[in-house]
Coordinates of all heavy atoms in Angstrom, one line a residue:
M30 N -35.6 -42.0 10.4 CA -35.1 -40.8 11.0 C -33.7 -41.0 11.5 O -33.4 -42.1 12.1 CB -36.1 -40.4 12.1 CG -35.7 -39.1 12.8 SD -36.8 -38.8 14.1 CE -37.3 -37.1 13.6
T31 N -32.8 -40.1 11.4 CA -31.4 -40.2 11.8 C -31.3 -39.8 13.3 O -31.9 -38.8 13.7 CB -30.5 -39.2 11.0 OG1 -30.6 -39.5 9.6 CG2 -29.1 -39.4 11.4
K32 N -30.7 -40.7 14.0 CA -30.5 -40.4 15.4 C -29.0 -39.9 15.6 O -28.1 -40.6 15.2 CB -30.7 -41.7 16.3 CG -30.6 -41.4 17.7 CD -31.0 -42.6 18.5 CE -30.9 -42.2 20.0 NZ -31.5 -43.2 20.8
W33 N -28.9 -38.7 16.1 CA -27.6 -38.1 16.3 C -26.9 -38.5 17.6 O -27.6 -38.5 18.6 CB -27.7 -36.6 16.3 CG -28.2 -36.0 15.0 CD1 -29.4 -35.8 14.6 CD2 -27.3 -35.7 13.8 NE1 -29.5 -35.3 13.3 CE2 -28.2 -35.3 12.8 CE3 -26.0 -35.8 13.6 CZ2 -27.7 -34.9 11.6 CZ3 -25.5 -35.5 12.3 CH2 -26.4 -35.0 11.3
T34 N -25.7 -39.0 17.5 CA -25.0 -39.4 18.7 C -24.0 -38.2 19.0 O -23.7 -37.4 18.1 CB -24.2 -40.7 18.4 OG1 -23.2 -40.4 17.4 CG2 -25.1 -41.8 18.1
L35 N -23.5 -38.2 20.2 CA -22.6 -37.1 20.6 C -21.3 -37.1 19.7 O -21.0 -36.0 19.2 CB -22.2 -37.3 22.1 CG -21.3 -36.2 22.6 CD1 -22.0 -34.8 22.5 CD2 -20.9 -36.5 24.1
P36 N -20.7 -38.2 19.4 CA -19.5 -38.1 18.5 C -19.9 -37.6 17.1 O -19.1 -36.8 16.5 CB -19.0 -39.6 18.4 CG -19.5 -40.2 19.7 CD -20.8 -39.5 20.0
S37 N -21.0 -38.0 16.6 CA -21.4 -37.5 15.2 C -21.7 -36.0 15.3 O -21.4 -35.2 14.3 CB -22.5 -38.3 14.6 OG -23.7 -38.1 15.4
L38 N -22.3 -35.5 16.4 CA -22.6 -34.1 16.5 C -21.3 -33.3 16.6 O -21.1 -32.2 16.0 CB -23.5 -33.8 17.7 CG -24.9 -34.1 17.5 CD1 -25.7 -34.0 18.9 CD2 -25.6 -33.3 16.5
L39 N -20.3 -33.8 17.4 CA -19.0 -33.1 17.5 C -18.3 -33.1 16.2 O -17.7 -32.1 15.8 CB -18.2 -33.8 18.6 CG -18.7 -33.7 20.0 CD1 -17.8 -34.5 20.9 CD2 -18.7 -32.2 20.4
Q40 N -18.4 -34.2 15.4 CA -17.7 -34.2 14.1 C -18.4 -33.1 13.2 O -17.7 -32.4 12.4 CB -17.8 -35.6 13.4 CG -16.9 -36.6 14.1 CD -17.1 -38.0 13.5 OE1 -18.1 -38.2 12.9 NE2 -16.2 -38.9 13.8
L41 N -19.7 -33.0 13.2 CA -20.4 -32.1 12.4 C -20.0 -30.6 12.8 O -19.8 -29.8 12.0 CB -21.9 -32.2 12.6 CG -22.8 -31.3 11.8 CD1 -22.6 -31.4 10.3 CD2 -24.3 -31.5 12.1
L42 N -19.9 -30.4 14.1 CA -19.5 -29.0 14.6 C -18.1 -28.7 14.2 O -17.8 -27.6 13.8 CB -19.7 -28.9 16.1 CG -21.1 -28.8 16.6 CD1 -21.1 -28.9 18.2 CD2 -21.7 -27.5 16.2
L43 N -17.2 -29.7 14.2 CA -15.9 -29.5 13.8 C -15.8 -29.2 12.3 O -15.1 -28.2 11.9 CB -15.0 -30.7 14.1 CG -13.5 -30.6 13.7 CD1 -12.8 -29.5 14.4 CD2 -12.9 -32.0 13.9
L44 N -16.5 -29.9 11.5 CA -16.6 -29.7 10.1 C -17.1 -28.3 9.8 O -16.5 -27.5 9.0 CB -17.4 -30.7 9.4 CG -17.6 -30.5 7.9 CD1 -16.3 -30.7 7.2 CD2 -18.6 -31.6 7.4
L45 N -18.2 -27.9 10.4 CA -18.7 -26.5 10.2 C -17.8 -25.4 10.6 O -17.6 -24.4 9.9 CB -20.1 -26.4 10.9 CG -21.2 -27.2 10.3 CD1 -22.4 -27.0 11.2 CD2 -21.5 -26.7 8.9
S46 N -17.1 -25.6 11.7 CA -16.1 -24.6 12.1 C -14.9 -24.5 11.2 O -14.4 -23.4 10.9 CB -15.6 -24.9 13.6 OG -14.8 -26.0 13.6
L47 N -14.5 -25.6 10.6 CA -13.4 -25.5 9.6 C -13.9 -24.8 8.3 O -13.1 -24.2 7.6 CB -12.9 -26.9 9.3 CG -12.2 -27.7 10.4 CD1 -11.9 -29.1 10.0 CD2 -10.9 -26.9 10.7
L48 N -15.1 -24.9 8.0 CA -15.6 -24.2 6.8 C -15.9 -22.7 7.0 O -15.7 -21.9 6.2 CB -16.9 -24.9 6.3 CG -16.8 -26.3 5.8 CD1 -18.1 -26.9 5.5 CD2 -15.9 -26.4 4.6
V49 N -16.4 -22.4 8.2 CA -16.8 -21.0 8.5 C -15.7 -20.1 9.0 O -15.5 -19.0 8.6 CB -18.0 -21.0 9.5 CG1 -18.3 -19.6 10.0 CG2 -19.2 -21.7 8.9
V50 N -14.8 -20.6 9.9 CA -13.8 -19.7 10.5 C -12.8 -19.1 9.5 O -12.6 -17.9 9.6 CB -13.1 -20.5 11.6 CG1 -11.9 -19.8 12.2 CG2 -14.0 -20.8 12.8
P51 N -12.3 -19.9 8.5 CA -11.3 -19.2 7.6 C -12.0 -18.0 6.9 O -11.3 -17.0 6.6 CB -10.9 -20.3 6.7 CG -11.2 -21.6 7.4 CD -12.3 -21.3 8.3
G52 N -13.2 -18.1 6.5 CA -13.9 -17.0 5.8 C -14.1 -15.8 6.7 O -13.9 -14.7 6.3
V53 N -14.4 -16.0 8.0 CA -14.5 -14.9 8.9 C -13.1 -14.3 9.1 O -13.0 -13.0 9.1 CB -15.1 -15.4 10.2 CG1 -15.0 -14.3 11.3 CG2 -16.5 -15.9 10.0
V54 N -12.1 -15.1 9.3 CA -10.8 -14.5 9.5 C -10.3 -13.7 8.3 O -9.8 -12.6 8.4 CB -9.8 -15.6 9.9 CG1 -8.3 -15.1 9.8 CG2 -10.1 -16.3 11.2
Q55 N -10.6 -14.3 7.1 CA -10.2 -13.5 5.9 C -10.9 -12.2 5.8 O -10.4 -11.2 5.4 CB -10.4 -14.4 4.7 CG -10.0 -13.7 3.4 CD -10.2 -14.6 2.2 OE1 -10.8 -15.6 2.2 NE2 -9.8 -14.1 1.0
A56 N -12.2 -12.3 6.0 CA -13.0 -11.0 5.9 C -12.5 -10.0 6.9 O -12.4 -8.8 6.6 CB -14.5 -11.3 6.2
Q57 N -12.1 -10.4 8.1 CA -11.6 -9.4 9.1 C -10.3 -8.9 8.6 O -9.9 -7.8 8.8 CB -11.5 -10.1 10.4 CG -12.8 -10.4 11.1 CD -12.7 -11.1 12.4 OE1 -11.6 -11.7 12.7 NE2 -13.8 -11.2 13.1
G58 N -9.4 -9.8 8.0 CA -8.1 -9.4 7.6 C -8.1 -8.3 6.4 O -7.3 -7.5 6.4
T59 N -9.2 -8.4 5.6 CA -9.2 -7.4 4.5 C -9.6 -6.1 4.9 O -9.4 -5.1 4.2 CB -10.1 -7.9 3.4 OG1 -11.4 -8.1 3.9 CG2 -9.6 -9.2 2.7
E60 N -10.3 -5.9 6.1 CA -10.7 -4.6 6.5 C -9.6 -3.8 7.2 O -9.6 -2.6 7.1 CB -11.9 -4.8 7.5 CG -13.1 -5.3 6.9 CD -13.7 -4.4 5.8 OE1 -13.7 -3.1 6.0 OE2 -14.1 -4.9 4.8
A61 N -8.6 -4.5 7.8 CA -7.6 -3.8 8.5 C -6.8 -2.7 7.7 O -6.6 -1.6 8.2 CB -6.7 -4.8 9.2
P62 N -6.3 -3.1 6.5 CA -5.5 -2.1 5.8 C -6.2 -0.8 5.5 O -5.6 0.2 5.5 CB -5.1 -2.8 4.5 CG -5.4 -4.2 4.8 CD -6.4 -4.3 5.8
S63 N -7.5 -0.9 5.1 CA -8.2 0.3 4.8 C -8.3 1.2 6.0 O -8.6 2.4 5.9 CB -9.5 0.1 4.1 OG -10.1 -1.1 4.6
N64 N -8.2 0.7 7.2 CA -8.2 1.5 8.4 C -6.8 1.8 9.0 O -6.7 2.3 10.1 CB -9.1 0.8 9.5 CG -10.5 0.6 9.1 OD1 -11.0 1.4 8.4 ND2 -11.1 -0.5 9.5
D65 N -5.8 1.4 8.2 CA -4.4 1.5 8.7 C -4.1 3.0 8.8 O -4.2 3.8 7.8 CB -3.5 0.9 7.6 CG -2.0 0.9 8.0 OD1 -1.7 1.6 9.0 OD2 -1.2 0.2 7.4
P66 N -3.8 3.5 10.0 CA -3.5 5.0 10.1 C -2.3 5.4 9.3 O -2.3 6.6 8.8 CB -3.3 5.1 11.6 CG -3.0 3.8 12.2 CD -3.6 2.8 11.2
T67 N -1.3 4.6 9.1 CA -0.2 5.0 8.3 C -0.6 5.2 6.8 O -0.1 6.1 6.1 CB 1.0 4.1 8.4 OG1 0.6 2.8 8.0 CG2 1.6 4.1 9.8
L68 N -1.5 4.3 6.3 CA -2.0 4.5 4.9 C -2.7 5.8 4.8 O -2.5 6.6 3.9 CB -2.8 3.3 4.5 CG -3.5 3.5 3.2 CD1 -2.5 3.7 2.0 CD2 -4.4 2.3 2.9
K69 N -3.6 6.1 5.8 CA -4.4 7.3 5.7 C -3.5 8.5 5.8 O -3.7 9.5 5.1 CB -5.4 7.3 6.9 CG -6.2 8.6 6.9 CD -7.6 8.4 7.3 CE -8.5 9.6 7.4 NZ -8.3 10.6 6.4
T70 N -2.5 8.5 6.7 CA -1.6 9.6 6.8 C -0.8 9.8 5.5 O -0.7 10.9 5.0 CB -0.6 9.3 7.9 OG1 -1.3 9.2 9.1 CG2 0.4 10.5 8.1
F71 N -0.3 8.7 4.9 CA 0.4 8.8 3.6 C -0.5 9.3 2.5 O -0.1 10.2 1.7 CB 1.0 7.5 3.3 CG 1.8 7.5 2.0 CD1 3.1 8.0 2.0 CD2 1.3 7.1 0.8 CE1 3.9 8.0 0.8 CE2 2.0 7.2 -0.4 CZ 3.3 7.6 -0.4
A72 N -1.7 8.8 2.5 CA -2.7 9.2 1.4 C -3.0 10.7 1.6 O -3.1 11.4 0.6 CB -3.9 8.4 1.5
D73 N -3.2 11.2 2.8 CA -3.5 12.6 3.0 C -2.4 13.5 2.6 O -2.6 14.6 2.1 CB -3.9 12.8 4.5 CG -5.2 12.2 4.9 OD1 -6.0 11.9 4.0 OD2 -5.4 12.1 6.1
A74 N -1.1 13.0 2.8 CA 0.0 13.8 2.4 C 0.3 13.8 0.9 O 1.1 14.6 0.4 CB 1.3 13.3 3.2
N75 N -0.3 12.8 0.2 CA -0.2 12.7 -1.2 C -1.5 12.6 -1.9 O -2.0 11.6 -2.4 CB 0.6 11.4 -1.5 CG 2.0 11.4 -1.0 OD1 2.9 12.0 -1.6 ND2 2.2 10.8 0.2
P76 N -2.2 13.8 -2.0 CA -3.6 13.8 -2.5 C -3.7 13.4 -3.9 O -4.8 12.9 -4.4 CB -4.1 15.2 -2.2 CG -2.8 16.0 -2.1 CD -1.8 15.1 -1.6
G77 N -2.7 13.5 -4.7 CA -2.7 13.1 -6.1 C -2.5 11.7 -6.4 O -2.7 11.2 -7.5
C78 N -2.1 10.9 -5.4 CA -1.9 9.5 -5.5 C -3.2 8.7 -5.3 O -3.9 8.9 -4.4 CB -0.8 9.1 -4.5 SG -0.3 7.4 -4.6
T79 N -3.4 7.8 -6.2 CA -4.6 7.0 -6.1 C -4.3 5.5 -5.9 O -5.2 4.7 -5.5 CB -5.5 7.1 -7.4 OG1 -4.7 6.7 -8.5 CG2 -6.0 8.5 -7.5
H80 N -3.1 5.1 -6.1 CA -2.7 3.7 -5.9 C -1.5 3.6 -5.0 O -0.5 4.3 -5.2 CB -2.3 3.0 -7.3 CG -3.5 2.9 -8.2 ND1 -4.1 4.0 -8.8 CD2 -4.2 1.8 -8.6 CE1 -5.1 3.5 -9.5 NE2 -5.2 2.2 -9.4
F81 N -1.6 2.7 -4.0 CA -0.6 2.7 -2.9 C -0.1 1.2 -2.8 O -0.8 0.3 -3.0 CB -1.1 3.1 -1.6 CG -1.8 4.4 -1.7 CD1 -3.2 4.5 -1.9 CD2 -1.1 5.6 -1.5 CE1 -3.9 5.7 -2.0 CE2 -1.8 6.8 -1.6 CZ -3.2 6.9 -1.8
T82 N 1.1 1.0 -2.3 CA 1.6 -0.3 -1.9 C 2.6 -0.2 -0.7 O 3.2 0.8 -0.5 CB 2.3 -1.0 -3.1 OG1 2.7 -2.3 -2.7 CG2 3.6 -0.3 -3.5
D83 N 2.6 -1.3 0.1 CA 3.6 -1.4 1.2 C 4.4 -2.6 1.0 O 4.9 -3.2 1.9 CB 2.9 -1.4 2.5 CG 2.0 -2.6 2.8 OD1 1.8 -3.4 1.8 OD2 1.5 -2.7 3.9
A84 N 4.5 -3.1 -0.3 CA 5.2 -4.3 -0.7 C 4.5 -5.6 -0.2 O 4.9 -6.7 -0.5 CB 6.6 -4.3 -0.1
C85 N 3.3 -5.4 0.4 CA 2.5 -6.6 0.8 C 1.1 -6.5 0.2 O 0.5 -7.5 -0.1 CB 2.3 -6.7 2.3 SG 3.8 -7.1 3.2
Q86 N 0.7 -5.3 0.0 CA -0.7 -5.1 -0.5 C -0.7 -4.0 -1.5 O 0.2 -3.1 -1.6 CB -1.6 -4.6 0.7 CG -1.8 -5.6 1.7 CD -2.6 -5.1 2.8 OE1 -2.1 -4.3 3.7 NE2 -3.9 -5.4 2.8
I87 N -1.7 -4.0 -2.3 CA -2.0 -2.9 -3.2 C -3.3 -2.3 -2.8 O -4.3 -3.0 -2.6 CB -2.0 -3.4 -4.7 CG1 -0.7 -4.0 -5.1 CG2 -2.4 -2.2 -5.6 CD1 -0.7 -4.7 -6.4
C88 N -3.4 -1.0 -2.6 CA -4.6 -0.3 -2.2 C -4.9 0.8 -3.2 O -4.0 1.4 -3.8 CB -4.4 0.3 -0.8 SG -4.2 -0.9 0.5
V89 N -6.2 1.0 -3.4 CA -6.6 2.1 -4.3 C -7.6 3.0 -3.5 O -8.3 2.6 -2.6 CB -7.4 1.6 -5.5 CG1 -6.4 0.9 -6.4 CG2 -8.6 0.8 -5.2
R90 N -7.5 4.3 -3.8 CA -8.4 5.3 -3.1 C -9.7 5.3 -3.8 O -9.8 5.4 -5.0 CB -7.7 6.7 -3.2 CG -8.5 7.7 -2.3 CD -8.0 9.1 -2.6 NE -6.5 9.2 -2.7 CZ -5.8 9.9 -1.7 NH1 -6.3 10.4 -0.7 NH2 -4.5 10.0 -1.9
R91 N -10.8 5.0 -3.1 CA -12.1 5.0 -3.7 C -12.7 6.4 -3.6 O -12.3 7.2 -2.8 CB -13.0 4.0 -2.9 CG -12.5 2.6 -3.1 CD -13.4 1.7 -2.3 NE -13.0 0.3 -2.5 CZ -13.4 -0.7 -1.6 NH1 -14.1 -0.4 -0.6 NH2 -13.0 -1.9 -1.8
E92 N -13.8 6.6 -4.3 CA -14.6 7.8 -4.1 C -15.1 7.9 -2.7 O -15.5 6.9 -2.2 CB -15.7 7.9 -5.1 CG -15.3 8.0 -6.6 CD -16.5 8.1 -7.5 OE1 -17.6 8.5 -7.1 OE2 -16.3 7.7 -8.7
G93 N -15.1 9.0 -2.1 CA -15.5 9.2 -0.7 C -14.4 9.0 0.3 O -14.6 9.2 1.5
G94 N -13.2 8.7 -0.2 CA -12.0 8.7 0.7 C -11.7 7.3 1.3 O -10.7 7.2 2.0
S95 N -12.5 6.3 1.1 CA -12.2 5.0 1.7 C -11.1 4.3 0.8 O -10.8 4.8 -0.3 CB -13.4 4.1 1.8 OG -13.9 3.8 0.5
F96 N -10.6 3.2 1.2 CA -9.6 2.5 0.5 C -10.0 1.1 0.2 O -10.7 0.4 1.0 CB -8.2 2.4 1.2 CG -7.7 3.8 1.5 CD1 -7.9 4.4 2.7 CD2 -7.0 4.5 0.5 CE1 -7.4 5.7 3.0 CE2 -6.4 5.7 0.8 CZ -6.7 6.3 2.0
G97 N -9.6 0.5 -0.9 CA -9.8 -0.9 -1.2 C -8.5 -1.5 -1.3 O -7.6 -1.0 -2.1
C98 N -8.2 -2.6 -0.6 CA -6.9 -3.2 -0.5 C -7.0 -4.7 -0.8 O -7.9 -5.3 -0.5 CB -6.3 -3.0 0.9 SG -6.1 -1.2 1.3
S99 N -5.9 -5.2 -1.4 CA -5.8 -6.6 -1.6 C -5.4 -7.3 -0.3 O -5.0 -6.6 0.7 CB -4.7 -6.9 -2.7 OG -3.4 -6.4 -2.2
S100 N -5.5 -8.6 -0.2 CA -5.1 -9.3 1.0 C -3.6 -9.5 0.9 O -3.0 -9.9 -0.1 CB -5.8 -10.7 1.0 OG -7.2 -10.5 1.1
P101 N -2.9 -9.4 2.1 CA -1.5 -9.6 2.1 C -1.1 -11.0 2.1 O -1.9 -11.9 2.5 CB -1.1 -8.9 3.5 CG -2.3 -9.0 4.3 CD -3.4 -8.9 3.4
G102 N 0.1 -11.3 1.7 CA 0.6 -12.7 1.7 C 0.8 -13.1 3.1 O 1.0 -12.3 4.0
I103 N 1.0 -14.4 3.3 CA 1.2 -15.0 4.7 C 2.5 -14.5 5.3 O 2.6 -14.1 6.4 CB 1.1 -16.5 4.7 CG1 -0.3 -16.9 4.3 CG2 1.6 -17.1 6.0 CD1 -0.5 -18.4 4.1
A104 N 3.6 -14.6 4.5 CA 4.9 -14.3 5.1 C 5.4 -12.9 4.6 O 6.6 -12.7 4.5 CB 5.9 -15.4 4.6
C105 N 4.5 -12.0 4.4 CA 4.9 -10.7 3.9 C 5.6 -9.8 4.9 O 5.2 -9.8 6.0 CB 3.6 -10.0 3.4 SG 3.9 -8.5 2.5
Q106 N 6.6 -9.1 4.4 CA 7.3 -8.1 5.3 C 6.9 -6.7 4.8 O 7.3 -6.3 3.8 CB 8.8 -8.3 5.1 CG 9.3 -9.7 5.6 CD 9.2 -9.9 7.1 OE1 9.5 -9.0 7.8 NE2 8.8 -11.1 7.5
R107 N 6.1 -6.1 5.6 CA 5.6 -4.7 5.3 C 6.8 -3.7 5.2 O 7.7 -3.8 6.0 CB 4.6 -4.3 6.3 CG 3.3 -5.0 6.2 CD 2.2 -4.4 7.1 NE 1.1 -5.2 7.2 CZ 0.1 -5.2 6.3 NH1 0.2 -4.5 5.3 NH2 -0.9 -6.0 6.5
K108 N 6.6 -2.8 4.3 CA 7.5 -1.7 4.2 C 6.7 -0.4 4.3 O 5.5 -0.5 4.5 CB 8.3 -1.7 2.9 CG 9.2 -3.0 2.8 CD 9.9 -3.0 1.5 CE 10.8 -4.3 1.5 NZ 11.2 -4.6 0.2
T109 N 7.3 0.8 4.2 CA 6.5 2.0 4.2 C 5.6 2.1 3.0 O 6.0 1.6 1.9 CB 7.4 3.2 4.4 OG1 8.3 3.2 3.2 CG2 8.2 3.2 5.6
W110 N 4.5 2.8 3.1 CA 3.6 3.0 2.0 C 4.3 3.9 1.0 O 5.0 4.8 1.3 CB 2.3 3.7 2.5 CG 1.5 2.7 3.2 CD1 1.3 2.7 4.6 CD2 0.7 1.7 2.7 NE1 0.4 1.7 4.9 CE2 0.0 1.0 3.8 CE3 0.4 1.2 1.4 CZ2 -0.8 0.0 3.6 CZ3 -0.5 0.2 1.2 CH2 -1.1 -0.5 2.3
T111 N 4.1 3.5 -0.3 CA 4.6 4.3 -1.4 C 3.5 4.5 -2.4 O 2.5 3.7 -2.5 CB 5.8 3.7 -2.1 OG1 5.4 2.4 -2.6 CG2 7.0 3.6 -1.2
C112 N 3.6 5.5 -3.3 CA 2.6 5.7 -4.3 C 3.0 4.9 -5.6 O 4.2 4.9 -6.0 CB 2.6 7.2 -4.7 SG 1.3 7.7 -5.8
R113 N 2.1 4.2 -6.1 CA 2.3 3.4 -7.3 C 1.8 4.2 -8.5 O 0.8 4.9 -8.4 CB 1.6 2.1 -7.3 CG 2.1 1.1 -6.3 CD 1.3 -0.1 -6.4 NE 0.9 -0.5 -7.8 CZ 1.0 -1.7 -8.3 NH1 1.3 -2.7 -7.5 NH2 0.7 -1.9 -9.5
P114 N 2.4 4.1 -9.7 CA 1.8 4.7 -10.8 C 0.4 4.1 -11.1 O 0.3 2.9 -10.9 CB 2.8 4.4 -12.0 CG 3.9 3.7 -11.4 CD 3.6 3.4 -9.9
Q115 N -0.5 4.9 -11.6 CA -1.8 4.4 -11.9 C -1.7 3.5 -13.2 O -1.1 3.9 -14.1 CB -2.8 5.5 -12.2 CG -4.2 5.0 -12.4 CD -5.2 6.2 -12.4 OE1 -4.8 7.3 -12.1 NE2 -6.4 5.9 -12.8
P116 N -2.2 2.3 -13.1 CA -2.1 1.4 -14.3 C -2.9 2.0 -15.5 O -3.9 2.7 -15.3 CB -2.7 0.1 -13.9 CG -3.5 0.4 -12.6 CD -3.0 1.6 -12.0
P117 N -2.4 1.8 -16.7 CA -3.0 2.3 -17.9 C -4.4 1.7 -18.0 O -4.6 0.5 -17.7 CB -2.1 2.0 -19.0 CG -1.3 0.8 -18.5 CD -1.2 1.0 -17.0
A118 N -5.3 2.4 -18.6 CA -6.7 1.9 -18.9 C -6.6 0.9 -20.0 O -5.8 1.1 -21.0 CB -7.6 3.0 -19.2
V119 N -7.3 -0.2 -19.8 CA -7.2 -1.3 -20.9 C -8.5 -1.1 -21.7 O -9.6 -1.1 -21.2 CB -7.2 -2.7 -20.2 CG1 -7.2 -3.7 -21.3 CG2 -6.0 -2.8 -19.3
S120 N -8.3 -0.9 -23.0 CA -9.4 -0.8 -23.9 C -9.7 -2.2 -24.5 O -8.8 -3.0 -24.8 CB -9.2 0.2 -25.0 OG -8.0 -0.1 -25.7
P121 N -10.9 -2.4 -24.8 CA -11.3 -3.7 -25.5 C -10.7 -3.8 -26.9 O -10.5 -2.8 -27.5 CB -12.8 -3.7 -25.5 CG -13.2 -2.3 -25.3 CD -12.1 -1.6 -24.6
P122 N -10.3 -5.0 -27.3 CA -9.8 -5.2 -28.6 C -10.8 -4.8 -29.7 O -12.0 -4.9 -29.5 CB -9.4 -6.7 -28.7 CG -10.2 -7.3 -27.7 CD -10.5 -6.3 -26.6
E123 N -10.3 -4.2 -30.8 CA -11.2 -3.9 -31.9 C -11.7 -5.1 -32.6 O -10.9 -6.0 -32.8 CB -10.4 -2.9 -32.9 CG -10.1 -1.6 -32.3 CD -9.5 -0.7 -33.3 OE1 -9.7 -0.9 -34.5 OE2 -8.7 0.2 -32.9
R124 N -12.9 -5.0 -33.0 CA -13.5 -6.2 -33.8 C -13.4 -5.8 -35.2 O -13.7 -4.7 -35.7 CB -14.9 -6.4 -33.4 CG -15.1 -6.7 -31.9 CD -16.5 -6.8 -31.5 NE -17.1 -8.1 -31.9 CZ -18.4 -8.4 -31.8 NH1 -19.2 -7.5 -31.3 NH2 -18.8 -9.5 -32.3
K125 N -12.9 -6.8 -36.0 CA -12.8 -6.6 -37.4 C -14.1 -6.9 -38.1 O -14.8 -7.9 -37.8 CB -11.7 -7.5 -38.0 CG -10.3 -7.1 -37.5 CD -9.3 -8.0 -38.2 CE -7.9 -7.5 -37.7 NZ -6.8 -8.3 -38.4
Q126 N -14.5 -6.1 -39.1 CA -15.7 -6.3 -39.8 C -15.4 -7.4 -40.9 O -14.4 -7.2 -41.6 CB -16.2 -5.0 -40.4 CG -16.6 -4.0 -39.4 CD -17.8 -4.4 -38.6 OE1 -18.6 -5.1 -39.1 NE2 -17.8 -4.0 -37.3
P127 N -16.3 -8.3 -41.1 CA -16.0 -9.4 -42.2 C -16.2 -8.8 -43.6 O -16.8 -7.8 -43.9 CB -17.0 -10.4 -41.9 CG -18.0 -9.9 -40.9 CD -17.4 -8.7 -40.3

């Protein structure tokens, strides 16, 4: 049976915190843009726009009015929200018959 000492328990707690905390921080970071009041204001003023960018993130308008956004870069300098052209639909390549 393993006997845990105080230093080994502290090392274990430190290791676990290094594994868990970045995921929690990243998950919290991805929620903020979809709740960004300036994005909502811009989207409401541009109802035909479905893809948005602020030079840091790309967001899409989902069904029901919510937004899905990419994570911003670390040293990103935000600009005002703009409408991006909707990317073309990608069709699968045609299969040739032998």
Side-chain angles (χ1 to χ4, degrees):
M30 179 182 236
T31 303
K32 185 171 183 173
W33 294 94
T34 62
L35 183 59
S37 62
L38 284 174
L39 291 175
Q40 289 175 345
L41 179 62
L42 286 173
L43 177 63
L44 177 63
L45 288 174
S46 68
L47 291 174
L48 294 173
V49 171
V50 170
V53 171
V54 170
Q55 181 181 6
Q57 289 174 347
T59 57
E60 291 300 317
S63 32
N64 296 328
D65 183 350
T67 57
L68 173 58
K69 177 142 180 41
T70 302
F71 181 80
D73 289 346
N75 296 277
C78 185
T79 59
H80 292 71
F81 310 91
T82 186
D83 66 353
C85 289
Q86 298 176 278
I87 298 171
C88 296
V89 295
R90 187 188 319 249
R91 296 179 178 160
E92 290 183 26
S95 66
F96 300 97
C98 298
S99 64
S100 297
I103 292 174
C105 188
Q106 299 291 319
R107 291 189 189 276
K108 297 181 180 163
T109 58
W110 287 102
T111 58
C112 189
R113 291 180 41 136
Q115 185 170 351
V119 178
S120 56
E123 291 184 25
R124 298 174 77 186
K125 293 184 179 181
Q126 297 294 327

